[in-house]
Amino acid sequence: QQQVKQSPQSLIVQKGGISIINCAYENTAFDYFPWYQQFPGKGPALLIAIRPDVSEKKEGRFTISFNKSAKQFSLHIMDSQPGDSATYFCAASRQAGTALIFGKGTTLSVSS
Amino acid sequence: DGGITQSPKYLFRKEGQNVTLSCEQNLNHDAMYWYRQDPGQGLRLIYYSQIVNDFQKGDIAEGYSVSREKKESFPLTVTSAQKNPTAFYLCATRDRSTDTQYFGPGTRLTVL
C-alpha cells in the first residue's frame, strides 16, 4: 500500500518556466509534509515543509500548496533554473511519528 | 550532510558476507533512521531508533540488523540473508522540535 503517491515520475521544463510536482496521501493522521531535493550521489536535503493548518507556504522560488480536503499537496518551482535539475521527493509523517513516508520521486530536468 | 557522517562512501561485498555501514552524528538528535534507496522506488525505511538502546523495524527490515549503544552512532549491518543488498543506503536524524529529518551523504553498497 503506497501511502504517498507522487507524480509525475519525470518532468522537463524550460528555463524560466514553472515546475509543478504533485503528491497525494491517504492517512488523515499525517500532519507534516516536507519536500526534499536530491542531487545524484548525495543525500536528500530539506527544501520546504508545511503543516495542514496553512494552505500555502512560500520560500523564495519554492511554494507548497496544500489541500487538506483533497489530501493533496504540491511543489511549485517558479523561474526554474538548470541548477534546479534534481530529484524531488515529497513525504509525510504523523506528529511525534516514527519516520517519514516518501513518494517515489520526480526527476526534474530544466533545459537552458 | 553537515553533522552526519556515513562511511564508507562506496562498499563492495561478496555474496555471503556480512558488512556494516557506519553512521555518526553530532547534532545531538535522539532519533536516527536507516533508509534504502533504489532507482524509481523512493526511500524505504529499514530500521529506526528513537532513543539509545532502543530500535524498531521499518518496512524492509529483513536481512538487516542495527544497534544503538551510543546517541551518536547507529550502525547498520547488512547480513547474508538480505537477498538483494545492492542499493544506496541513507542514514538520517530527526530534530524533534521541528520534525525535520537530516540526511547523511549515503553509502553505495554493491554486491559482486
Side-chain angles (χ1 to χ4, degrees):
Chain A
Q1 183 182 6
Q2 189 180 350
Q3 296 192 58
V4 178
K5 295 182 179 180
Q6 183 172 347
S7 63
Q9 185 175 352
S10 62
L11 181 62
I12 299 174
V13 173
Q14 294 275 359
K15 179 181 176 181
I18 302 173
S19 303
I20 301 174
I21 305 171
N22 301 299
C23 281
Y25 63 96
E26 299 174 0
N27 190 340
T28 55
F30 290 153
D31 70 346
Y32 174 68
F33 304 90
W35 284 90
Y36 280 83
Q37 179 188 57
Q38 185 181 31
F39 294 103
K42 306 293 185 183
L46 178 68
L47 197 58
I48 187 173
I50 198 169
R51 296 195 183 273
D53 53 344
V54 296
S55 60
E56 186 175 281
K57 182 175 181 180
K58 183 176 180 179
E59 289 185 2
R61 296 185 294 109
F62 302 93
T63 300
I64 297 180
S65 297
F66 185 80
N67 186 330
K68 188 175 181 178
S69 61
K71 294 190 288 186
Q72 295 176 346
F73 58 110
S74 60
L75 175 69
H76 292 64
I77 305 174
M78 312 300 288
D79 187 26
S80 299
Q81 299 296 313
D84 296 330
S85 298
T87 300
Y88 293 82
F89 293 96
C90 63
S93 71
R94 293 177 285 113
Q95 187 176 17
T98 56
L100 291 170
I101 297 172
F102 285 85
K104 292 192 174 184
T106 297
T107 301
L108 171 66
S109 296
V110 181
S111 61
S112 54
Chain B
D1 299 20
I4 302 173
T5 58
Q6 290 187 243
S7 61
K9 185 174 179 64
Y10 299 97
L11 185 58
F12 297 89
R13 188 194 94 174
K14 293 182 179 179
E15 284 192 19
Q17 288 181 337
N18 293 354
V19 290
T20 297
L21 282 60
S22 170
C23 178
E24 302 282 331
Q25 57 112 349
N26 62 4
L27 301 172
N28 200 35
H29 293 161
D30 287 314
M32 297 187 72
Y33 308 83
W34 274 104
Y35 291 90
R36 169 180 171 142
Q37 185 173 23
D38 297 281
Q41 293 296 316
L43 282 71
R44 293 182 291 168
L45 182 66
I46 304 173
Y47 268 97
Y48 63 97
S49 170
Q50 301 274 45
I51 199 166
V52 174
N53 293 322
D54 183 63
F55 50 83
Q56 305 294 330
K57 292 182 179 180
D59 299 322
I60 56 166
E62 184 175 353
Y64 300 98
S65 66
V66 293
S67 62
R68 188 81 187 280
E69 298 177 0
K70 299 186 301 181
K71 187 174 186 178
E72 300 79 16
S73 179
F74 190 39
L76 173 74
T77 296
V78 184
T79 75
S80 57
Q82 169 51 235
K83 298 305 180 187
N84 186 23
T86 294
F88 190 48
Y89 291 86
L90 290 158
C91 176
T93 69
R94 181 166 65 95
D95 181 342
R96 290 182 186 276
S97 64
T98 62
D99 276 332
T100 301
Q101 279 199 14
Y102 298 91
F103 284 86
T107 291
R108 186 167 297 280
L109 172 64
T110 302
V111 174
L112 303 174

